[in-house]
Amino acid sequence: MLPLQDPEKTMDSSVPETMTQTSPWDKSIDLPAPETSRSSRETLSHLSRTNTRGVHPQETSAGGPRSKKPRSSQPSQTLLHRSQAYWSAEVSTAHADILFLWCCFISGLVDSTIYNAYGTFVSMQTGNTIFLGLGGATPDSTSKPYGWAKSLISIAFFCLGCLTFSHLTRLFGKLRRVTVAGSFLSQTLIMFIAAAVVQGGSVNGSLGTITDDIDWWTTMPIALLSFQSAGQIVGSRAVNLSELPTVVLTSMLHDIFTDEKLVAKANVKRNRRVIAFFSILIGAICGGFIGEGTQRMQIPLWIAGGVKLGITLAWVLWPEKQTSAV
C-alpha cells in the first residue's frame, strides 16, 4: 500500500520544470527611449518657456519669438519709399528741348507785353542795359521817364534770380525730378502772382500809361517777372541745352550763322536755334495782338502762366533717365 501524497504536490511534481518557469514575454519590455538631438531639446525647452510666458507656439520660430510688425504701416512705408525714389530720380534729357522752346514763346509773349506797359523788358537784359545807359545820359529828352529805374530793377532781380535758381539747382541736384519740377512750379506761381496783382487793381494794368512821373508799385510785376525768367536759362543750362537760353537772341543768332554745318541736312542744334528764334518772335506777335485787343496786360500774363504750368506738369510726368549697367 502506497503512502498517500498531497495532491497539490503531486500535480506540481507532475508538471515539467520548463512549464513552471515564467515566460520571457510575460515580462514588461523596457525599450530604450529615442535619443533627441541637442537642438531639438533646446527647441522644446524654449517652446515650454515661451508658453509659460503666454506666447503662442505658432508665433515662435527656431530662433525665438517672431517680431510682430504692424501690417497697416507696411503699405504706407512702401508708398513713401516709392514716392521718394520717384522724386529723387534724375529725369531724361531726351526731347527736353520741346519744353524750352515753349519757354522761348513765353519770353516773347511777356516781354512784348511788359514793354508796351512799362517801356522795359523782363527777359532781354541787353535792351535793359541800353535803356539804363540812355536814362542816365538823356534824362530830359527820353520818351520814357524813369525808364532807367525800371530797367535797373529788372536787371537786379534777374541777377538775383540767376543766383537763387542756380544755387538751389546745385544744392538739390540739377537733373532730379524734384529740382526741375520745383523750379518751374515756383516760376509758375510767381507769374500767377504778378498777374493777380494786376488783375486785383493793386497795379495799373492798362497799356500805354507811361507818364512823366513813376508809380513805384508798378515795378512789382517787373521785379517778379524778371526774377522768374532767370529760372528758364538756369534750367536750360542744367539739362545741357546751352543753345536754347530762352531769354536772349543775340548769341543765338550768332551761333546760327557761324555754324559750320549751317546747310547740313542733319543739324539738331541749328534746328533748335532756328525754332527758338521763331518761337520768341511768335510770342511777341501774340503779345502785341492781345495787348492791342484788350489794352490790358494781365491777360497775356495769365496765358504765359498757364503755358508754364503745363511745362511743370510735363516735368512731373517726364520719363526717368535710363542708366546703363556697367
Side-chain angles (χ1 to χ4, degrees):
M1 186 173 177
L2 295 175
L4 296 175
Q5 296 180 353
D6 190 357
E8 295 179 359
K9 291 182 179 180
T10 306
M11 292 178 63
D12 292 340
S13 61
S14 63
V15 177
E17 183 180 358
T18 57
M19 294 181 64
T20 60
Q21 295 179 355
T22 304
S23 174
W25 300 107
D26 295 337
K27 298 180 180 180
S28 61
I29 301 175
D30 296 331
L31 297 177
E35 296 183 358
T36 58
S37 61
R38 183 177 180 181
S39 60
S40 300
R41 290 195 300 270
E42 291 178 354
T43 303
L44 293 174
S45 62
H46 176 73
L47 290 175
S48 62
R49 288 196 303 270
T50 53
N51 286 334
T52 57
R53 290 195 298 265
V55 180
H56 197 275
Q58 294 180 354
E59 297 178 355
T60 60
S61 60
R66 296 176 183 175
S67 59
K68 290 185 177 181
K69 296 182 178 179
R71 297 181 179 179
S72 60
S73 64
Q74 291 179 357
S76 61
Q77 291 178 357
T78 303
L79 181 62
L80 179 62
H81 177 72
R82 290 180 179 178
S83 178
Q84 291 176 347
Y86 182 79
W87 287 106
S88 61
E90 292 188 349
V91 295
S92 173
T93 57
H95 306 295
D97 52 348
I98 299 174
L99 302 182
F100 286 97
L101 290 173
W102 278 106
C103 290
C104 294
F105 171 81
I106 293 174
S107 295
L109 179 64
V110 174
D111 260 352
S112 63
T113 302
I114 298 300
Y115 182 80
N116 281 338
Y118 302 128
T120 188
F121 299 111
V122 293
S123 298
M124 310 294 176
Q125 299 304 326
T126 303
N128 284 335
T129 304
I130 301 301
F131 294 155
L132 178 61
L134 289 175
T138 58
D140 298 328
S141 60
T142 180
S143 60
K144 298 178 178 61
Y146 294 96
W148 63 270
K150 299 173 185 177
S151 297
L152 179 61
I153 291 173
S154 178
I155 294 172
F157 275 88
F158 181 84
C159 294
L160 180 62
C162 290
L163 180 65
T164 303
F165 282 105
S166 62
H167 178 74
L168 294 177
T169 298
R170 288 191 296 267
L171 180 63
F172 293 102
K174 63 180 183 178
L175 288 180
R176 284 187 174 183
R177 189 184 308 277
V178 65
T179 305
V180 183
S183 173
F184 277 86
L185 178 61
S186 62
Q187 297 171 42
T188 303
L189 294 177
I190 292 172
M191 188 165 287
F192 281 154
I193 291 173
V197 166
V198 179
Q199 185 76 40
S202 299
V203 174
N204 185 6
S206 300
L207 301 180
T209 57
I210 300 174
T211 60
D212 294 337
D213 200 358
I214 183 173
D215 182 7
W216 292 103
W217 279 106
T218 59
T219 61
M220 184 189 301
I222 297 174
L224 291 173
L225 296 173
S226 298
F227 183 88
Q228 67 83 31
S229 65
Q232 295 183 175
I233 186 171
V234 172
S236 66
R237 298 295 174 87
V239 298
N240 299 321
L241 289 174
S242 57
E243 65 271 17
L244 294 177
T246 74
V247 295
V248 63
L249 277 174
T250 307
S251 61
M252 191 157 38
L253 290 173
H254 167 271
D255 294 338
I256 291 174
F257 291 99
T258 59
D259 193 346
E260 296 180 354
K261 300 179 181 180
L262 176 61
V263 295
K265 185 177 180 180
N267 191 339
V268 177
K269 289 188 176 182
R270 176 208 58 198
N271 297 341
R272 289 171 178 169
R273 294 185 182 109
V274 171
I275 297 174
F277 172 79
F278 284 104
S279 297
I280 294 175
L281 179 60
I282 293 172
I285 293 172
C286 291
F289 275 107
I290 294 173
E292 288 295 325
T294 62
Q295 291 299 313
R296 303 292 297 179
M297 62 173 289
Q298 66 266 28
I299 296 178
L301 296 183
W302 287 116
I303 294 174
V307 175
K308 188 156 285 190
L309 178 61
I311 296 174
T312 303
L313 295 177
W315 280 122
V316 172
L317 304 175
W318 204 254
E320 184 177 339
K321 182 180 179 180
Q322 300 296 329
T323 56
S324 57
V326 180

